[in-house]
Amino acid sequence: QVQLEESGGGLVQAGGSLTLSCAASGSIFSTTLLAWYRQTPGKQRELIAVITRGGSTSYADSVKGRFTISRNNLKNTMNLQMNGLKPEDTGVYYCAADRFGGRWDVWGQGTQVTVSS
């Protein structure tokens, strides 16, 4: 059983930076994929960054070049470094795990990020 918990959200001015963390209560070493999603007001939940067990990454165009996803399988953690934040990055950020392949079956509760202009 794996549970995820996000932290690090908050209020930041446009152009600023935040680092989100996702801690797993159980081992994620065998988890194939980890990801960050965000839910912005009036929009569907959006997949913004994915990292494989081996560390390969991919990003949504909206965050590419500004956000960096990383994971530490020994510490059971995953981070999202967010630079150059924009007001449109405001939303609730969720971490998710795909343990068996095919769907995101474990979710955190979300952490709020607010970017002021």
Side-chain angles (χ1 to χ4, degrees):
Q1 183 74 18
V2 175
Q3 292 181 322
L4 304 175
E5 182 173 3
E6 304 92 341
S7 62
L11 174 64
V12 64
Q13 288 187 333
S17 298
L18 277 177
T19 300
L20 304 183
S21 295
C22 177
S25 61
S27 172
I28 60 171
F29 182 75
S30 61
T31 297
T32 303
L33 295 175
L34 296 172
W36 286 97
Y37 276 78
R38 71 181 176 193
Q39 180 93 53
T40 53
K43 295 185 179 180
Q44 290 186 331
R45 193 173 293 190
E46 173 190 17
L47 176 62
I48 58 172
V50 177
I51 187 166
T52 68
R53 177 181 171 183
S56 297
T57 60
S58 62
Y59 299 91
D61 288 342
S62 59
V63 306
K64 195 174 295 183
R66 300 187 297 124
F67 291 10
T68 302
I69 187 173
S70 61
R71 66 189 287 172
N72 186 322
N73 292 337
L74 294 179
K75 295 184 178 180
N76 294 335
T77 58
M78 174 177 64
N79 286 345
L80 184 69
Q81 174 67 43
M82 305 186 294
N83 299 325
L85 284 162
K86 305 175 182 179
E88 52 263 44
D89 293 319
T90 294
V92 180
Y93 285 68
Y94 300 88
C95 58
D98 176 351
R99 294 180 293 166
F100 308 116
R103 69 183 182 96
W104 303 103
D105 62 306
V106 184
W107 291 83
Q109 83 289 347
T111 186
Q112 175 71 43
V113 172
T114 303
V115 185
S116 63
S117 57

